[in-house]
Amino acid sequence: YSPLTRGQRLNDKRVAIIAQKHGKSAAQVLIRWALQQGIVPIPKTVQHVRLAENLGARHFSLDVADLTELATCEETLHTCWDCLD
């Protein structure tokens, strides 16, 4: 499980546009998306700066337009083992 796609989608143009709109990082947008989907993301970091940034995802919300745009990112990307196998 990797809520930040192991970094593979942090530079996605759609995510970047939404991040800029809210004045947040791409990581915060991905974490916020997970929270709004009812998923509890557990991003891994040992850096205090990134930990603080990740926690900042609690302080804003994505609107319907953001969620609709992020839904277009669905690519069935798997970054770890498939629990359904």
Side-chain angles (χ1 to χ4, degrees), residues 10-71:
L10 290 177
N11 294 318
D12 185 286
K13 185 177 181 179
R14 297 162 291 192
V15 175
I17 289 169
I18 294 168
Q20 183 177 18
K21 170 183 169 182
H22 292 281
K24 302 294 182 183
S25 70
Q28 287 172 313
V29 168
L30 294 176
I31 293 168
R32 185 69 224 172
W33 174 86
L35 290 169
Q36 287 186 227
Q37 301 304 307
I39 300 166
V40 179
I42 306 173
K44 177 183 164 185
T45 187
V46 295
Q47 297 183 18
H48 293 284
V49 172
R50 286 192 180 152
L51 178 59
E53 178 183 313
N54 293 345
L55 291 172
R58 299 174 301 142
H59 304 296
F60 75 105
S61 292
L62 299 170
D63 59 33
V64 173
D66 299 331
L67 295 172
T68 300
E69 183 64 22
L70 290 171

